[in-house]
Amino acid sequence: MQLVTAAFYSTYRVLAAYMLSLAFGIVYGVAAARGPRREKIMLAVLDVLQSVPILGFFPVAVTMFVALFRGARAGYELAAIFLIFTSQSWNIAFGVYETIKTLPKDLKELSLAFNFTPGFAIQRIYLPAMVPTIVFNSGVSMANGWYFLMASEIISLGNRDVRLPGLGTTMMNYLSQGNTTGVLLSIGTIILINALLQLVVFRPLVRWAELFRYNAVGTAPEWPTVVDVLSALGRALRIDSALVRLVSVGERMSSRLAKFVLITVSVLAAIAFVWLIVWLLTPPYPWDVLVQIPAALVITAMRVIAAVIISVFIALPFVIRSIKSVETAQNIYTMASVLGSVPAVIFYPPIVALAGRENMELFSILLLLTGSFWYALFNMSKGAMLLPGSLTEMAKVFGIKGLMYYRSILIPAILPPLITGALTAWGGAWNASIVAEHVEFGHSTFEIPGIGSLLVSSTANSKALILVVLAMTALIVAVNMLFWRPWYQRAAEKYNLTE
Amino acid sequence: MALFELRNVNLTFEENRKKLSVLEDISLTVDEGEFLCIVGPSGSGKSTILRILSGILGNYSGEVLYKGQPNPRPNPNVSMVFQNFALIPWLTVQENIEIVLEAREVPPRQRVRTALKYIDLVGLDSFEDAYPRELSGGMKQRVGIARALAVEPEVLLMDEPFSALDILTAADLREQMVDLWMSGKLPLKSVLMVTHNMEEAVFLADRIVVLSARPARIIGEVKVPLPRPRDYRDKAFEEILDHVYSMVLSGRLKKSR
Ligand SMILES: Nc1ncnc2c1ncn2[C@@H]1O[C@H](COP(=O)(O)OP(=O)(O)OP(=O)(O)O)[C@@H](O)[C@H]1O
Ligand SMILES: [Mg+2]
């Protein structure tokens, strides 16, 4: 019974955060894609947000929300939803942005030539065109939300521990009681909920999303009942027109209200930033922590790089299979969404306790893998599914096989999505590293050196904590900008498949 | 009377900081009641002219008049058939037509009636509920034509409507286009079609305007005073075709000098 209420609470949190993510992702993505002047800066902001190790910033966010609500329960609740939101929304926003940027020119000209008003074009062309991306990225987003559930329900502030009712808390309680059946049952519940969601909602949606692909051939997919139900619900709640209005506002940032909001937010952010800098620059400096940062970053980076490479290699065979048939791709999507939702973080402490300190290095990389592999798999197979069939047919016709097929056709063709996969895996692994290096189980503590354990050990000193998180974020963003993005740009230009 | 009038229209695109002149001093008219074809080599700027007339593009210099007034953007009296059909993949044939009517705020009942009427007219009855992906190329272009006609424009713009089709389907659709044009069933006043196929132009047009390669300049124009339906093997047909050919060639010679 306890499990049922817990499941209810957790599901509500994940779904609420997901709805917010959808709204945010759509509005932000459209606004960024449709305004050449704000495009660059909005993208850069999104890039930074996506790279921020959420778990590292969570204590900061919780403090803010709790202060805002003067310690009321709603503050914690919002903080939890916010954490899940940050794990879900960025990739939806990116997906939406990309779809609009690559929207076929014909469709744009169609709406101009037949004088569609901007609102009409958004409602009837832009929003539907986003369906495939949104459905696909929802897979990662849902899995991610569940993955971070644990962290969001157990909130420690200084010496106070607040536990929100939910599966994460329940599981943690079972774990500390040593109740294995309870832990397994909770995991089972998470898997069950996700499997049901997949079966009833997302799998039919994935098939249906086929309909929205430009230049597809063959029989149209069936119109699933979920879509009817969801769209009836959406119409009843007036979600569609609200969304259109929201998007139109985001699109017309020049409208006075939007400008006002934008300016207020930027001013507040700037003030907060300056205040933060000033505070960081006032002595005393936490030198003892500062000198440890560089070495810690290097050690963790090595683990993260190992995790990224392994993720990409494990994902590759799945991706290759999903090129061959849409059916397989859809199955992989379902499997990945269900399995990716298992909060592996939970198993980690007992495993480390069993395996002992000497094997922790190895298991920490395994944990990083659970944080990075799903990203790699989702992004790579999404790219693979969108490959034009003519490419593989061409290879067949000319008898290109074996090593040559991989080297000259397959790898180049999936290089852009492969890079996206690696990039997101890189972010995911860093995030997981925060929990991977410091483990408390029962009365014993296990630790390996790295930025994650440094972060945990400096929670007492908030200045040190923020400096550690900032250093980590700076490194991730720098590598994104200097390495991943340029590489992606070059690959996308060279191996561009859309004409 | 001239429906459209272009006076000294120039257009330059800027790409990677390089200026690319596409239209140079284009002056032409589309008269009421005529079927006008613009022929020119690939990449010369034919589609660009249509984009200007339909109001998709506005960054030109010079004057574009519609019935003596500056061309409104968008111009509700024109409509367009696209080279690559430009059908919306998630809408059925009927919905693809209804959506452009809805954008013009036609009431729902009338939308259905008009859509069905034009689906019938292009011979697609019983395919109302098919999705574009389930249609052949020729059928897709019929939908494109039905959609363009459904808004009952005064001027129909067609951007190489038959070039993405196989020869037989294209010939078939061309003949149907002539039939439609001659039947007087349409509230249409003029058609402006763009093509690089000179035979097609002679088969369809009352008048042909020949463009040079990029930047597009007008080389000259040819009248086609032949009765319809026309026959490709007709002697007069061949003579006019030769004339158009030599005009295109002379344009190319002048370029290379
Ligand atoms: N938005 C744009 N930005 C930059 N250059 C453009 C743009 N649109 C068209 N061009 C250039 O203008 C030239 C004319 O293009 P246009 O599409 O009008 O040619 P076209 O005569 O219709 O060719 P085709 O027969 O191949 O359809 C081309 O060289 C093209 O590269
Ligand atoms: Mg063209």
Side-chain angles (χ1 to χ4, degrees):
Chain A
M1 196 54 223
Q2 193 197 351
L3 219 51
V4 176
T5 37
F8 169 77
Y9 270 113
S10 295
T11 312
Y12 124 77
R13 262 175 226 127
V14 173
L15 287 183
Y18 173 65
M19 293 295 155
L20 284 178
S21 302
L22 267 188
F24 168 84
I26 292 173
V27 172
Y28 197 95
V30 173
R34 303 250 302 174
R37 272 199 305 172
R38 55 181 179 252
E39 180 174 353
K40 272 232 167 75
I41 177 142
M42 286 186 81
L43 265 196
V45 168
L46 199 58
D47 229 358
V48 172
L49 285 176
Q50 191 178 36
S51 316
V52 165
I54 311 160
L55 290 176
F57 265 106
F58 190 46
V60 185
V62 171
T63 319
M64 231 179 63
F65 275 109
V66 172
L68 216 62
F69 283 81
R70 305 228 167 82
R73 160 82 185 278
Y76 291 94
E77 199 63 57
L78 278 181
I81 291 179
F82 176 75
L83 174 71
I84 302 176
F85 168 86
T86 54
S87 71
Q88 294 180 326
S89 54
W90 320 134
N91 91 83
I92 295 183
F94 262 121
V96 168
Y97 167 80
E98 258 171 35
T99 317
I100 294 187
K101 286 309 265 189
T102 55
L103 192 77
K105 195 166 140 228
D106 277 351
L107 288 187
K108 284 185 205 154
E109 296 200 335
L110 173 77
S111 31
L112 287 171
F114 285 95
N115 22 36
F116 291 6
T117 58
F120 192 78
I122 287 170
Q123 191 179 8
R124 308 299 296 273
I125 306 279
Y126 286 78
L127 286 179
M130 290 169 205
V131 166
T133 320
I134 289 180
V135 168
F136 264 90
N137 289 12
S138 295
V140 204
S141 287
M142 289 303 278
N144 246 339
W146 286 97
Y147 188 90
F148 285 114
L149 191 70
M150 269 282 301
S152 73
E153 287 176 354
I154 299 162
I155 297 170
S156 39
L157 255 190
N159 44 17
R160 225 153 35 104
D161 241 8
V162 177
R163 299 191 165 202
L164 297 171
L167 280 173
T169 302
T170 312
M171 215 177 327
M172 212 53 191
N173 289 341
Y174 284 140
L175 206 63
S176 56
Q177 293 160 12
N179 182 347
T180 327
T181 345
V183 174
L184 288 181
L185 273 178
S186 329
I187 301 268
T189 313
I190 292 185
I191 292 184
L192 186 71
I193 293 171
N194 276 283
L196 278 179
L197 270 177
Q198 281 300 319
L199 221 61
V200 178
V201 182
F202 285 101
R203 245 179 104 78
L205 285 184
V206 168
R207 285 215 199 95
W208 176 67
E210 253 293 286
L211 183 65
F212 295 80
R213 270 177 58 193
Y214 203 68
N215 277 344
V217 284
T219 32
E222 271 175 49
W223 199 271
T225 337
V226 216
V227 176
D228 289 331
V229 173
L230 287 179
S231 57
L233 200 70
R235 262 199 301 277
L237 299 175
R238 305 226 166 273
I239 289 179
D240 51 345
S241 50
L243 203 56
V244 171
R245 225 171 298 136
L246 256 179
V247 173
S248 317
V249 170
E251 147 122 324
R252 276 181 279 109
M253 288 285 221
S254 49
S255 88
R256 235 192 264 149
L257 177 72
K259 226 176 208 159
F260 176 74
V261 170
L262 202 70
I263 289 173
T264 321
V265 169
S266 342
V267 167
L268 284 181
I271 290 174
F273 188 71
V274 169
W275 179 78
L276 185 73
I277 296 289
V278 169
W279 178 67
L280 286 178
L281 287 180
T282 42
Y285 303 116
W287 284 115
D288 54 323
V289 172
L290 281 181
V291 293
Q292 292 179 51
I293 288 180
L297 275 179
V298 171
I299 297 176
T300 305
M302 306 230 283
R303 286 189 208 111
V304 167
I305 291 169
V308 170
I309 294 175
I310 298 173
S311 297
V312 169
F313 270 98
I314 303 181
L316 212 50
F318 291 100
V319 174
I320 290 168
R321 302 213 44 182
S322 61
I323 294 180
K324 290 192 183 128
S325 96
V326 180
E327 192 82 3
T328 321
Q330 290 171 352
N331 288 339
I332 290 177
Y333 170 91
T334 309
M335 179 201 75
S337 316
V338 174
L339 292 183
S341 64
V342 175
V345 187
I346 295 234
F347 299 118
Y348 187 59
I351 288 179
V352 169
L354 273 179
R357 164 73 181 80
E358 57 277 18
N359 294 319
M360 192 171 165
E361 191 72 47
L362 181 72
F363 282 101
S364 74
I365 294 184
L366 278 184
L367 183 71
L368 296 195
L369 275 179
T370 65
S372 62
F373 173 66
W374 306 112
Y375 274 117
L377 183 59
F378 269 113
N379 282 310
M380 285 164 69
S381 48
K382 178 176 149 199
M385 262 187 82
L386 302 179
L387 277 188
S390 55
L391 200 72
T392 39
E393 270 169 24
M394 186 275 279
K396 241 181 247 156
V397 170
F398 289 102
I400 304 176
K401 274 190 295 236
L403 202 61
M404 175 155 170
Y405 173 69
Y406 287 95
R407 219 187 39 222
S408 56
I409 308 238
L410 199 91
I411 300 291
I414 62 169
L415 197 56
L418 191 146
I419 296 172
T420 311
L423 184 159
T424 45
W426 159 260
W430 274 106
N431 210 351
S433 73
I434 291 173
V435 282
E437 294 166 359
H438 176 100
V439 168
E440 283 170 32
F441 190 70
H443 295 291
S444 31
T445 304
F446 303 85
E447 209 169 58
I448 47 175
I451 198 78
S453 50
L454 188 62
L455 194 144
V456 173
S457 69
S458 51
T459 33
N461 179 347
S462 42
K463 193 179 274 183
L465 173 73
I466 288 183
L467 283 171
V468 170
V469 176
L470 280 183
M472 192 170 171
T473 311
L475 176 71
I476 301 173
V477 172
V479 171
N480 281 2
M481 288 189 175
L482 298 176
F483 177 65
W484 296 116
R485 288 288 162 203
W487 191 22
Y488 179 85
Q489 218 68 41
R490 246 183 307 138
E493 265 160 39
K494 191 160 169 198
Y495 305 115
N496 190 1
L497 292 166
T498 52
E499 289 131 46
Chain B
M1 194 185 95
L3 282 177
F4 269 120
E5 193 172 352
L6 283 82
R7 286 192 197 147
N8 313 98
V9 171
N10 284 280
L11 186 91
T12 309
F13 281 120
E14 199 164 322
E15 209 164 65
N16 306 327
R17 305 236 168 75
K18 267 188 281 176
K19 293 222 156 135
L20 185 72
S21 175
V22 176
L23 301 182
E24 256 185 37
D25 208 22
I26 301 288
S27 297
L28 66 87
T29 59
V30 181
D31 293 323
E32 187 164 338
E34 81 171 338
F35 197 124
L36 179 68
C37 274
I38 298 180
V39 299
S42 196
S44 56
K46 304 182 296 292
S47 301
T48 306
I49 294 179
L50 291 193
R51 287 198 191 101
I52 288 176
L53 293 179
S54 63
I56 296 176
L57 271 181
N59 53 338
Y60 53 85
S61 67
E63 264 186 300
V64 178
L65 302 178
Y66 184 75
K67 290 185 175 166
Q69 303 296 318
N71 190 28
R73 277 189 73 196
N75 186 339
N77 302 307
V78 302
S79 110
M80 177 115 134
V81 177
F82 292 82
Q83 183 168 356
N84 292 315
F85 322 131
L87 301 181
I88 301 171
W90 55 86
L91 299 181
T92 62
V93 168
Q94 187 176 338
E95 289 166 341
N96 257 291
I97 298 173
E98 279 186 36
I99 190 175
V100 299
L101 297 169
E102 192 183 338
R104 301 197 172 193
E105 291 170 357
V106 176
R109 283 259 188 88
Q110 200 187 328
R111 285 207 293 266
V112 176
R113 229 179 306 129
T114 313
L116 291 178
K117 174 178 153 198
Y118 284 96
I119 289 173
D120 255 8
L121 198 70
V122 296
L124 277 181
D125 27 342
S126 82
F127 284 98
E128 303 87 32
D129 293 328
Y131 285 98
R133 62 196 314 178
E134 298 166 324
L135 303 179
S136 69
M139 288 156 92
K140 282 185 206 166
Q141 197 53 298
R142 278 169 217 262
V143 181
I145 293 170
R147 177 179 62 187
L149 293 175
V151 296
E152 317 212 314
E154 291 183 337
V155 183
L156 180 66
L157 306 174
M158 297 205 280
D159 191 355
E160 305 195 36
F162 311 123
S163 70
L165 306 176
D166 68 276
I167 302 175
L168 290 178
T169 313
D172 202 33
L173 264 185
R174 237 176 255 135
E175 272 164 35
Q176 285 179 15
M177 195 67 222
V178 173
D179 289 346
L180 268 179
W181 175 240
M182 297 303 292
S183 70
K185 273 193 229 161
L186 307 174
L188 207 54
K189 289 188 176 150
S190 309
V191 177
L192 172 54
M193 185 173 117
V194 141
T195 176
H196 55 239
N197 180 339
M198 291 168 241
E199 268 189 326
E200 177 174 289
V202 179
F203 185 76
L204 290 169
D206 295 314
R207 190 159 62 95
I208 299 172
V209 173
V210 180
L211 290 187
S212 71
R214 203 188 66 222
R217 270 172 289 113
I218 291 180
I219 299 176
E221 63 170 69
V222 180
K223 288 221 156 59
V224 191
L226 302 175
R228 292 186 177 95
R230 293 168 184 166
D231 187 349
Y232 292 100
R233 285 154 304 182
D234 205 28
K235 197 138 182 302
F237 190 101
E238 280 178 358
E239 271 166 19
I240 294 175
L241 185 57
D242 280 346
H243 188 47
V244 178
Y245 258 114
S246 58
M247 205 175 259
V248 171
L249 282 180
S250 78
R252 203 180 280 172
L253 287 179
K254 258 184 232 148
K255 266 263 148 74
S256 58
R257 244 191 279 135

